[in-house]
Amino acid sequence: MPKLPRLNAKEAQKLLLTAGFVLIRSQGSHRIYQKATIKVVIPFHGGKTLHPKIVRQVIDVIETKNE
């Protein structure tokens, strides 16, 4: 299995918006994106690298919606 890319919140946001997700709301430092019935929460914490589990979640939802 190839390694996951290291993404920060802005890069993840760009990937989601390109894949057709829409920002539905923001609560504190977290932003919630939705496309159809799938929701993704991205924490925005000052340019820090996202946890690999969150990166995996972003990649998985983008891949499943493109199939």
Side-chain angles (χ1 to χ4, degrees):
M1 175 183 271
K3 285 189 171 184
L4 292 173
R6 296 176 56 97
L7 299 175
N8 61 27
K10 288 184 180 182
E11 294 166 339
Q13 176 183 23
K14 185 176 180 181
L15 289 173
L16 288 171
L17 293 175
T18 303
F21 282 78
V22 178
L23 176 65
I24 57 172
R25 66 187 173 98
S26 178
Q27 183 173 357
S29 60
H30 293 75
R31 296 181 186 172
I32 296 97
Y33 299 89
Q34 183 175 8
K35 182 175 182 181
T37 59
I38 298 176
K39 291 183 183 176
V40 181
V41 179
I42 303 294
F44 274 74
H45 295 288
K48 291 185 181 178
T49 303
L50 294 174
H51 191 278
K53 288 183 180 179
I54 296 173
V55 174
R56 169 57 56 202
Q57 179 187 19
V58 169
I59 292 171
D60 286 346
V61 298
I62 290 172
E63 288 178 352
T64 58
K65 287 315 249 181
N66 287 334
E67 291 179 352

